[in-house]
């Protein structure tokens, strides 16, 4: 389950990075599935679900809030980017800083999973060394 959360976050970050490039190609290829907001929310939801579950199990072992803090910051940055996109879309602005926020948020969510995994492997309180 740890790997699923990590990969869901990485796929989310790749999706946010590649989407602007796909916008150029989409009219000729017909890849409309990946532009759908429902797809983005499902991807974010799966990523959060698996990451939170992993962090809860990891917290029981290492009792550190570092990974939880990184996940919270990543989610906050992602939500800010999403709100910027929603605000810019309705006001007709063409400023794409929201992509930077969404990619950074997705990468931080993936990083939280890596931090949690590293802390679980080197846990001194429970004596687990993987």
């Amino acid at each position: 389950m740890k790997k699923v959360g990590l990969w869901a976050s990485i796929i989310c970050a790749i999706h946010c990075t590649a989407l602007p490039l796909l916008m150029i190609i989409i009219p000729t290829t017909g890849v409309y599935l990946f532009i759908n907001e429902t797809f983005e929310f499902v991807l974010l939801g799966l990523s959060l679900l698996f990451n939170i579950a992993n962090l809860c199990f990891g917290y029981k072992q290492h009792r550190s809030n570092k990974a939880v803090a990184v996940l919270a910051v990543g989610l906050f940055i992602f939500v800010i980017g999403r709100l910027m996109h929603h605000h810019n879309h309705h006001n007709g602005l063409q400023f794409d800083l929201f992509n930077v926020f969404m990619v950074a948020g997705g990468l931080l969510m993936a990083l939280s999973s890596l931090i949690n995994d590293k802390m679980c492997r080197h846990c001194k309180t429970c004596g687990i060394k993987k």
Side-chain angles (χ1 to χ4, degrees), residues 9-53:
S9 296
I10 290 172
I11 290 169
C12 185
I14 291 170
H15 168 77
C16 293
T17 304
L19 188 63
L21 299 174
L22 286 176
M23 294 296 285
I24 298 167
I25 301 169
I26 285 175
T28 58
T29 60
V31 187
Y32 292 103
L33 172 67
F34 299 108
I35 296 178
N36 192 348
E37 277 191 21
T38 305
F39 178 77
E40 290 182 5
F41 286 122
V42 167
L43 192 59
L44 177 63
L46 287 173
S47 175
L48 283 175
L49 177 74
F50 287 112
N51 275 329
I52 289 172

Side-chain angles (χ1 to χ4, degrees), residues 50-88:
F50 287 112
N51 275 329
I52 289 172
N54 288 336
L55 292 179
C56 288
F57 291 124
Y59 182 80
K60 288 180 182 180
Q61 288 183 355
H62 53 70
R63 302 279 189 222
S64 177
N65 290 325
K66 291 177 188 175
V68 176
V70 173
L71 178 68
V73 169
L75 180 62
F76 178 74
I77 290 173
F78 188 89
V79 168
I80 293 296
R82 194 73 194 137
L83 290 173
M84 287 173 63
H85 173 65
H86 184 65
H87 176 73
N88 289 350

Side-chain angles (χ1 to χ4, degrees), residues 109-127:
M109 287 189 282
L111 180 64
S112 73
S113 185
L114 291 173
I115 290 170
N116 182 56
D117 190 42
K118 182 178 179 182
M119 286 191 295
C120 286
R121 276 192 263 126
H122 300 292
C123 180
K124 292 184 174 72
T125 59
C126 58

